[in-house]
Amino acid sequence: MSSEARAGEPSADVVALMEADPHGCALATAVRDAGGGIVDFTLTYLNEAGCRFLARPRAELVGRTYRELWPETVTDGTLPLYRRVVEQRVPAVRTVYYDRTNLTGHFEIRIVPFGDGFVARFVDLSKLTMGSQTEGGTRLYDALDAAFDGFTLLRAVHDDSGMIIDFVCDYTNYIGAKLAGRTVEELIGHRIVADFSGDGEVQLFPYLREVAETGEMWHQQITAPSTAPVWELKAVRVGAGIVAVSYRDVTESVDYQRQLERSAAQARAAAYWTSALQAVTAALVAASTAEEVYQAMGTVVRPSARGHGLAVLLIEHGRLVLRYHAGYEEHVVDQLSELPMTHPYPATMVAATGQPRYLCSPEEFAAAQPDPMRAISGGGRHAWAFLPLSTAGQVLGTLVIGYREPRQFDDDERANLVAFSGLAAQALQRALLYESQLSIAADLQQALLPDPLPALDGARHAVRYLPWTRGADVGGDWYDVIHIDADRAAVVIGDVAGHSSQAAATMGQLRSALRAYAADGYGPADVMRRANELLLRYEPDAMASCCYLEVHLRDHTAIAVLAGHPPPICWAGGTAEPLDLEPGPPLGIRHAEYVDVTVPLPAGCSLVLYTDGLIEDRRFTVDQGLAELCDAVSSAPTQEPGGLLDHIVRANVGPHPRTDDVAILVLTIDPAPTDN
């Protein structure tokens, strides 16, 4: 130890006094620079309680400076405080809070000048008694008075049997008295039941008695009836018959939490409506026909709107006609089947004005139809949303959504219901237009195909047309049987590339040209050559495939030409295989040449002519399709043309799902007559 430290050592009496103190005591001596200014302090003595306080042996501490032992004292204001005590010879007190591995809690440090240094006494405030007779206890009460929370000490009052019948307030801080709506003087020394039971506030006595009797902590939020603040209370037993109650006004915090919950509920509602709108949009976009739109309304729109009944009424010829319903009773359906636009039922007014209407109770529904003789029954519903099916300025009708319970429709719900009805109106208008176009396309397709085909002497035939195209698109597939003379007929099948009204028109021109050339007596190769020249002259951008057979019914032969078309399948003697024909280029190719090939047609044989959509697409090879078609023809239970066709269709030959139209023509040569 240095001479400066030895000079600052305390006398034996001072050491004895500090060792007898139950709290930590330390003696420090100033370390001065050349100019006499204090730059640090050396710890020259520490009592046993101080060693326990710091959890370090005395030998590690005494003789070392504060900068060495506790570097943070340079920056946390500790050294300047000690310097001021020594220089000004004025005692000081500071309260600190430590949260360290070996030291946690509130501590009071009292610093007194001593020689060229100071004596520091540090007290663990948690070890002080609660009695106000001690200086530490008085300061603790002062601290409680300055606290943000209310604090009260209650002493149990017992009857002769020892039962707790009341509590006397022994202490309350100022905040506690303020929260209770009284002064400290009005509370201390008074009984909480006997003196304040008539206030009409929350009765806490049963809870406090249970805490005093069982020692179990009680913690709860309570709302006072008169002023509606929300208090958070905690009661604990701190001694025999003594209960400490801490409480705070958490109204602002609770209000904030409620606001957060409302915001979360709004966010959940927004997420629900967003998800519902996406589901409704997806379902309605996928619907092509009016029936599909109605099904989407019933299976997606109704549950998305949280409704229990749905009806679609459309304006037709000045009346409102029920076109779809789900969840409605039969007697209500009968009443809604057809309504004049002058009927008081709210759906008629919505259809007339395009403005939605919401009825939140059966009373409002009844008031909307004051004449009971004409009123439409509400059935099992107690609230209704009447929504216009409006799109592009046109009102198609009214969408009615019913609910089992009365309800209020907030702004967000109303906006989303109107969005649902708008989407439904767009889908319905699109579907109705599509069905109209489909009807026109079907009529055009039917008009371009021959019906009926001529009967042949010595052969029977059957055809099937399997459309794939939708809407206004029309396929270019065609078939024909052309009667040339008593012994000859032309059997034709072909396909114009594309699916459009232009392809259909080209198909009609080719079909008519082939008929004309065949009637003029041209052979198959010449018919193909002339048809190709016609196509190049009038439809230079078009292309078509064709299979043309001139069948000689008496000779049981056929002259065949292929123009870019797959060969017919011939069934004879229980075996089905493609005819061996020389393929020619499709129609629409300049300088194309076509060759006649004569093939035998045994009596009783069947020929299957088809378009390529039956056996191939980009996913399905021609070889695979031909093999499946031959297997289907071979396994058919009958060679009757109609039965053979049905078997081929049921056999699911070729790609599935299909991506093209298909035409199939079966020609069966009659068996040779038997001699009697």
Side-chain angles (χ1 to χ4, degrees):
M1 183 179 295
S2 66
S3 59
E4 292 83 4
R6 286 194 297 271
E9 287 181 349
S11 65
D13 292 339
V14 173
V15 170
L17 181 63
M18 288 193 292
E19 284 295 334
D21 196 318
H23 302 291
C25 292
L27 178 63
T29 302
V31 177
R32 298 179 180 271
D33 58 16
I38 299 175
V39 295
D40 203 349
F41 290 92
T42 300
L43 183 65
T44 56
Y45 179 78
L46 182 69
N47 69 353
E48 190 62 31
C51 293
R52 291 193 301 271
F53 179 94
L54 297 175
R56 294 172 69 179
R58 186 179 292 153
E60 290 183 8
L61 301 171
V62 173
R64 302 178 65 185
T65 66
Y66 271 67
R67 291 177 184 268
E68 293 175 324
L69 294 171
W70 302 289
E72 68 272 17
T73 59
V74 179
T75 57
D76 68 0
T78 301
L79 282 180
L81 174 66
Y82 294 167
R83 185 185 303 116
R84 196 161 48 250
V85 169
V86 175
E87 291 175 346
Q88 299 179 8
R89 315 304 292 176
V90 176
V93 178
R94 73 190 296 245
T95 302
V96 296
Y97 177 79
Y98 294 122
D99 187 5
R100 302 172 181 170
T101 303
N102 59 350
L103 188 63
T104 301
H106 288 275
F107 303 93
E108 177 190 88
I109 302 177
R110 180 175 293 273
I111 308 100
V112 178
F114 181 81
D116 191 23
F118 62 86
V119 174
R121 184 172 183 262
F122 26 97
V123 178
D124 184 350
L125 294 178
S126 65
K127 301 297 191 297
L128 294 177
T129 65
M130 288 297 294
S132 61
Q133 70 274 13
T134 68
E135 184 180 359
T138 300
R139 284 195 299 276
L140 185 57
Y141 281 124
D142 289 341
L144 289 173
D145 283 339
F148 287 108
D149 297 339
F151 182 80
T152 299
L153 281 177
L154 301 174
R155 175 170 42 85
V157 178
H158 301 80
D159 62 9
D160 294 339
S161 66
M163 179 182 293
I164 298 176
I165 59 173
D166 208 338
F167 286 91
V168 172
C169 178
D170 276 350
Y171 171 80
T172 187
N173 65 357
Y174 292 117
I175 298 299
K178 183 178 180 181
L179 290 175
R182 301 181 182 278
T183 64
V184 173
E185 291 77 10
E186 289 175 330
L187 292 173
I188 293 179
H190 290 273
R191 295 188 177 191
I192 64 171
V193 175
D195 296 337
F196 305 119
S197 60
D199 287 358
E201 297 291 343
V202 178
Q203 299 302 313
L204 302 179
F205 174 73
Y207 307 109
L208 299 175
R209 180 171 59 187
E210 185 175 356
V211 171
E213 291 175 346
T214 66
E216 301 253 343
M217 184 188 74
W218 175 71
H219 185 196
Q220 190 170 325
Q221 282 188 357
I222 292 180
T223 301
S226 61
T227 58
V230 182
W231 289 355
E232 182 181 9
L233 292 92
K234 181 188 290 186
V236 295
R237 188 173 68 184
V238 295
I242 303 297
V243 175
V245 182
S246 61
Y247 45 102
R248 69 179 66 184
D249 185 345
V250 294
T251 306
E252 184 176 348
S253 175
V254 170
D255 288 345
Y256 178 69
Q257 183 61 37
R258 289 171 180 166
Q259 180 60 42
L260 288 179
E261 291 172 357
R262 285 193 294 269
S263 298
Q266 291 170 351
R268 287 192 297 270
Y272 170 82
W273 287 118
T274 299
S275 176
L277 193 60
Q278 291 173 343
V280 167
T281 301
L284 292 173
V285 165
S288 298
T289 66
E291 186 61 31
E292 290 175 349
V293 173
Y294 294 144
Q295 289 300 318
M297 288 184 183
T299 59
V300 181
V301 175
R302 181 175 62 150
S304 295
R306 297 169 173 164
H308 306 99
L310 180 143
V312 179
L313 299 103
L314 300 185
I315 302 172
E316 297 180 9
H317 307 296
R319 303 178 72 81
L320 209 55
V321 179
L322 180 66
R323 286 303 177 195
Y324 177 79
H325 62 87
Y328 269 72
E329 300 83 356
E330 282 302 319
H331 71 281
V332 181
V333 171
D334 291 341
Q335 290 179 307
L336 289 175
S337 61
E338 190 170 327
L339 298 173
M341 293 298 291
T342 56
H343 195 282
Y345 186 61
T348 58
M349 182 61 68
V350 171
T353 64
Q355 298 299 315
R357 186 173 182 184
Y358 305 91
L359 301 179
C360 303
S361 67
E363 292 75 20
E364 291 185 13
F365 185 74
Q369 303 179 90
D371 184 357
M373 299 300 295
R374 302 184 65 196
I376 303 296
S377 171
R381 282 150 294 284
H382 293 79
W384 295 260
F386 295 90
L387 308 165
L389 289 168
S390 177
T391 178
Q394 179 186 5
V395 180
L396 306 179
T398 302
L399 172 63
V400 185
I401 301 176
Y403 300 84
R404 291 198 187 103
E405 302 295 334
R407 65 189 290 120
Q408 297 296 321
F409 299 89
D410 60 32
D411 291 342
D412 288 342
E413 185 173 15
R414 294 187 182 204
N416 282 285
L417 290 176
V418 169
F420 288 171
S421 67
L423 290 169
Q426 293 174 19
L428 189 56
Q429 185 184 57
R430 184 176 62 249
L432 294 174
L433 179 61
Y434 166 78
E435 290 182 349
S436 174
Q437 293 173 334
L438 187 62
S439 176
I440 295 171
D443 291 344
L444 176 61
Q445 187 90 52
Q446 191 62 39
L448 292 172
L449 293 173
D451 185 27
L453 294 175
L456 302 178
D457 185 11
R460 289 158 289 132
H461 50 70
V463 294
R464 293 285 187 277
Y465 188 86
L466 308 176
W468 171 83
T469 49
R470 297 186 176 188
D473 290 340
V474 183
D477 297 37
W478 88 93
Y479 55 83
D480 207 348
V481 174
I482 306 167
H483 188 276
I484 300 175
D485 57 34
D487 297 326
R488 292 184 302 157
V491 182
V492 187
I493 199 159
D495 183 7
V496 176
H499 299 93
S500 65
S501 57
Q502 182 61 44
T506 302
M507 176 263 283
Q509 292 174 353
L510 278 175
R511 175 174 165 265
S512 298
L514 292 175
R515 277 179 165 257
Y517 298 144
D520 285 345
Y522 291 103
D526 284 336
V527 169
M528 285 294 101
R529 188 161 44 250
R530 289 176 179 273
N532 187 52
E533 291 172 355
L534 177 72
L535 195 61
L536 288 170
R537 178 177 298 177
Y538 296 107
E539 298 291 344
D541 296 327
M543 185 171 293
S545 68
C546 184
C547 174
Y548 185 100
L549 276 72
E550 184 180 282
V551 180
H552 296 249
L553 298 169
R554 181 173 298 177
D555 298 340
H556 286 191
T557 60
I559 302 173
V561 174
L562 291 182
H565 203 87
I569 303 297
C570 180
W571 178 91
T575 301
E577 58 185 8
L579 289 179
D580 185 13
L581 301 177
E582 182 176 343
L587 300 175
I589 301 297
R590 295 188 181 278
H591 311 300
E593 295 294 333
Y594 301 97
V595 178
D596 289 336
V597 178
T598 301
V599 294
L601 298 179
C605 75
S606 294
L607 294 174
V608 180
L609 288 75
Y610 52 92
T611 53
D612 61 352
L614 178 66
I615 62 168
E616 68 165 326
D617 65 8
R618 282 177 287 186
R619 303 167 290 118
F620 207 88
T621 65
V622 174
D623 291 342
Q624 185 179 357
L626 282 174
E628 289 188 2
L629 180 56
C630 289
D631 290 343
V633 174
S634 297
S635 63
T638 177
Q639 291 302 309
E640 181 66 26
L644 177 55
L645 260 175
D646 291 339
H647 179 75
I648 293 171
V649 172
R650 287 195 300 269
N652 289 327
V653 171
H656 286 276
R658 298 201 186 280
T659 58
D660 199 358
D661 296 349
V662 173
I664 311 174
L665 188 155
V666 173
L667 179 74
T668 300
I669 305 300
D670 289 340
T674 58
D675 295 332
N676 293 327

